[in-house]
Amino acid sequence: MEPTSDSSTLDIYGSQSTLRPSGLGAELTYDLTLAMTIGFGVVFVFVMLLLWVAWRRQTPAGHWWVWSGGILLPVAAIVVLMTASTAILVASTRSDDEALVIDVTGYQFWWDVVYDPDGIALRDANELVLPAGRPVTLRLKSDDVIHSFWVPSISGKMDMIPGRINTLTVRPEEPGRYRGQCAEFCGLSHPRMAFEVVVLELDAFDEWLLTTQGEARDAAQPELLAGKQVFIDAGCSACHEIRGVAEGGRLGPDLTRVGARASLGAGMWRMNQGNLAGWIADVGDMKPGAQMPSYNHLSGPELRAVSAYLASLR
Ligand code: HEC
Ligand SMILES: [Cu+2]
């Protein structure tokens, strides 16, 4: 199986580009990049012109050129750049008391997400749902090695360091789908540690928060019931939580609404029953280094049942 990078699956991925900004931090950074590229393009052309003149004339340049072009101009350019970039850094990440707080913890190679940790403490994984037009303070942590949180279309990146909490306030603007990626080498499947960001209108976000709380959807059909039983009997709950079914497992992603995610395996595969079955039977093939055992001893019907059950959790 191939990772979902072919064009037929592009629709599940949102933009992951600093050149398509859709959040305050990313927009300011984009403007700075544009200004720098144009400004220093002009400087480059000017210097090339001087070089051409110098070659043509073959007369030694005076001290004035050395002082102005070699010292004054670079110093002025650096001062302007430093002032602009510092101001932009401060403006794009300034904290806000009204901000919604979300805890995001990096693990090899997935993301644990807790909305409003001091209030409703809604846990989810590998996907970040954000309100458009409202500041959100992300408390970034890690429980193993150093990761880095980066959603290029929304904001700059921020390291996730074990034993520390780094806060990053983001201001998403346009509703839509975006893609984030771990930006610090963190082990074998580091390039496969991505995630989805879904930005919703404020009302839609509040409704999402409300409807997503609570227990997992009930298994009604016989196959889904059987799948739920396989989940319990196979010991998946040692690492995974499904609210209302098996609670407390924290070594792997929360699966309460795993079927609602657009992707499987932290932004890598299309979420569907077939990929779920493949993942459970041979996770090492789909994500080398993932810290989950393969369950290739499950029978065909068991595998079908448990993957159908997980796909139904929306
Ligand atoms: C030893 C702990 C452990 C056990 C036991 C375990 N898993 Fe996992 N599981 C993980 C980890 C860790 C990940 C994240 C892997 C990654 O993406 O790097 C994961 C990921 C998953 C995912 C993908 C979630 C997502 O958001 O994409 C599914 C589905 C899943 N496991 C199902 C199962 C099922 C079903 C069982 C039982 C048959 C099981 N797991 C048993 C640790 C475990
Ligand atoms: Cu990482």
Side-chain angles (χ1 to χ4, degrees):
M1 275 182 264
E2 288 294 311
T4 48
S5 55
D6 56 305
S7 56
S8 66
T9 54
L10 272 180
D11 56 317
I12 68 165
Y13 294 135
S15 135
Q16 180 181 335
S17 170
T18 45
L19 301 180
R20 277 166 64 192
S22 190
L24 183 68
E27 260 153 32
L28 291 172
T29 311
Y30 176 72
D31 293 345
L32 180 67
T33 308
L34 216 60
M36 272 171 62
T37 309
I38 293 170
F40 288 105
V42 170
V43 171
F44 179 76
V45 170
F46 179 65
V47 169
M48 288 301 114
L49 238 102
L50 282 183
L51 197 65
W52 183 70
V53 169
W55 263 327
R56 293 281 309 245
R57 290 242 221 105
Q58 296 199 322
T59 51
H63 277 175
W64 185 84
W65 281 106
V66 176
W67 277 101
S68 61
I71 296 172
L72 287 182
L73 187 67
V75 167
I78 287 170
V79 168
V80 169
L81 246 185
M82 251 184 60
T83 317
S85 56
T86 310
I88 283 176
L89 182 70
V90 172
S92 62
T93 59
R94 70 175 193 282
S95 61
D96 188 319
D97 293 341
E98 300 293 297
L100 169 75
V101 177
I102 304 178
D103 278 358
V104 182
T105 309
Y107 291 87
Q108 287 169 317
F109 303 93
W110 60 280
W111 313 81
D112 178 68
V113 178
V114 180
Y115 296 84
D116 190 12
D118 304 320
I120 59 171
L122 170 63
R123 178 169 252 106
D124 202 358
N126 294 338
E127 186 180 75
L128 198 54
V129 181
L130 301 175
R134 180 177 170 195
V136 175
T137 294
L138 302 166
R139 296 200 306 209
L140 304 172
K141 315 176 200 180
S142 165
D143 229 19
D144 40 40
V145 299
I146 299 178
H147 303 273
S148 178
F149 178 95
W150 194 26
V151 189
S153 292
I154 304 268
S155 117
K157 57 181 90 148
M158 176 75 81
D159 275 359
M160 310 170 96
I161 300 169
R164 267 189 71 109
I165 300 178
N166 282 344
T167 59
L168 175 67
T169 300
V170 299
R171 293 169 173 78
E173 270 149 25
E174 280 292 306
R177 286 192 165 275
Y178 305 91
R179 192 167 187 268
Q181 165 74 48
C182 177
E184 178 76 46
F185 179 75
C186 60
L188 191 57
S189 267
H190 156 69
R192 292 187 161 98
M193 182 172 170
F195 60 103
E196 314 266 352
V197 179
V198 183
V199 177
L200 299 176
E201 298 280 8
L202 261 179
D203 293 350
F205 177 79
D206 288 340
E207 199 185 311
W208 178 86
L209 261 192
L210 217 65
T211 52
T212 309
Q213 295 170 45
E215 303 189 338
R217 181 177 283 197
D218 253 347
Q221 296 150 16
E223 188 186 34
L224 302 186
L225 272 169
K228 179 170 154 185
Q229 202 52 49
V230 174
F231 181 88
I232 294 166
D233 295 343
C236 313
S237 56
C239 302
H240 293 289
E241 173 162 284
I242 296 180
R243 281 195 300 281
V245 174
E247 306 202 352
R250 292 269 190 278
L251 296 175
D254 185 290
L255 300 180
T256 304
R257 45 182 295 282
V258 60
R261 302 203 242 288
S263 71
L264 164 69
M268 292 321 299
W269 302 83
R270 194 181 261 280
M271 178 62 74
N272 58 40
Q273 193 189 339
N275 279 346
L276 275 166
W279 176 277
I280 296 162
D282 194 358
V283 60
D285 181 49
M286 289 178 73
K287 194 164 186 180
Q291 298 184 7
M292 166 169 157
S294 288
Y295 287 83
N296 47 16
H297 56 274
L298 292 180
S299 71
E302 282 173 330
L303 204 54
R304 263 197 301 283
V306 73
S307 52
Y309 172 59
L310 292 181
S312 80
L313 297 179
R314 306 178 143 261

